[in-house]
Amino acid sequence: MSDPTTILVDPQVERDDADAAAMALYLQLFGDGTIGPHLFGTGEPRFRVHDAMLRERGILALGLHASGHRWVADDEGAHLVDGGPENGIFSPYNGSFRIRCPDCREMLAPGEDGSESLEEALAVWCEAPNSAYVVCPSCASWTPLVDWRSPGHDFAVGHFAITLYGAHLRGLAGGRDHADTALRHRLGDLASDFVLVFARA
């Protein structure tokens, strides 16, 4: 059975800055003992979590994503290089999600009537993210894909993201618990701007 994951996606980091953001957080978390420096396991690159409080909450590994880059091992631990499958789209692997128009708040999902613009924007995002716009079939507004949000926390796009492997930390969506706020801050989300996606890996 696949493991639950909590993904925090930063919608503001530009593609050219994503690798620097991921590397900076890696060095910070390795330096303070939150994670180990070495990649482990097979499949998606991840780092073992050593922090006792995170492990008590079910988080056993952490992944850092930067669009257009991949992690490789080195003598000191790991570093990012160009290339790899990271495209900055985060959703369930079956591709099912629903997102809300930032203007009129109507919902839209792939495969529904009027979703052609959404499907085109997803394809454009991978090559030219700044040109990925969605035309809302309800209000006809033309807005960036990155501004569309999923009330069910099952979709986000962004060039830098953090995956917490082992649990769905749904408290992060509420922002009322001190421990959840502290965790967001620890991961660099000082203004609670990162978009949450709950998925499985």
Side-chain angles (χ1 to χ4, degrees):
M1 186 173 179
S2 58
D3 294 325
T5 61
T6 299
I7 308 171
L8 296 95
V9 183
D10 187 340
Q12 299 179 356
V13 169
E14 296 292 334
R15 187 169 188 165
D16 290 345
D17 300 325
D19 58 331
M23 197 68 201
L25 187 57
Y26 162 74
L27 292 173
Q28 173 193 316
L29 296 177
F30 162 45
D32 67 16
T34 300
I35 61 173
H38 301 289
L39 298 164
F40 82 99
T42 58
E44 296 180 356
R46 62 189 75 181
F47 302 93
R48 198 178 306 277
V49 167
H50 295 316
D51 180 80
M53 292 183 64
L54 277 177
R55 293 184 68 85
E56 286 176 3
R57 301 183 70 179
I59 303 303
L60 305 180
L62 181 146
L64 297 168
H65 311 272
S67 289
H69 292 78
R70 60 187 174 88
W71 288 97
V72 296
D74 59 32
D75 292 340
E76 302 297 324
H79 65 277
L80 285 164
V81 297
D82 289 340
E86 298 285 4
N87 62 13
I89 298 174
F90 301 91
S91 68
Y93 287 111
N94 62 8
S96 62
F97 59 85
R98 294 181 63 79
I99 53 178
R100 177 176 285 159
C101 173
D103 286 346
C104 73
R105 315 293 287 172
E106 285 296 313
M107 302 294 292
L108 184 63
E112 293 183 348
D113 289 342
S115 67
E116 295 84 2
S117 175
L118 168 59
E119 292 157 16
E120 180 179 344
L122 289 168
V124 170
W125 171 269
C126 297
E127 300 298 329
N130 291 337
S131 299
Y133 280 73
V134 181
V135 178
C136 176
S138 296
C139 69
S141 65
W142 194 59
T143 50
L145 175 63
V146 72
D147 290 344
W148 287 64
R149 296 286 182 266
S150 168
H153 300 291
D154 55 11
F155 175 85
V157 293
H159 299 299
F160 167 58
I162 306 151
T163 295
L164 305 174
Y165 294 92
H168 288 154
L169 299 184
R170 297 195 180 274
L172 292 176
R176 292 182 292 272
D177 185 88
H178 173 73
D180 291 323
T181 300
L183 177 56
R184 277 186 176 268
H185 289 180
R186 190 174 182 181
L187 297 175
D189 185 14
L190 301 181
S192 296
D193 290 332
F194 290 10
V195 182
L196 287 171
V197 175
F198 299 117
R200 306 193 77 85

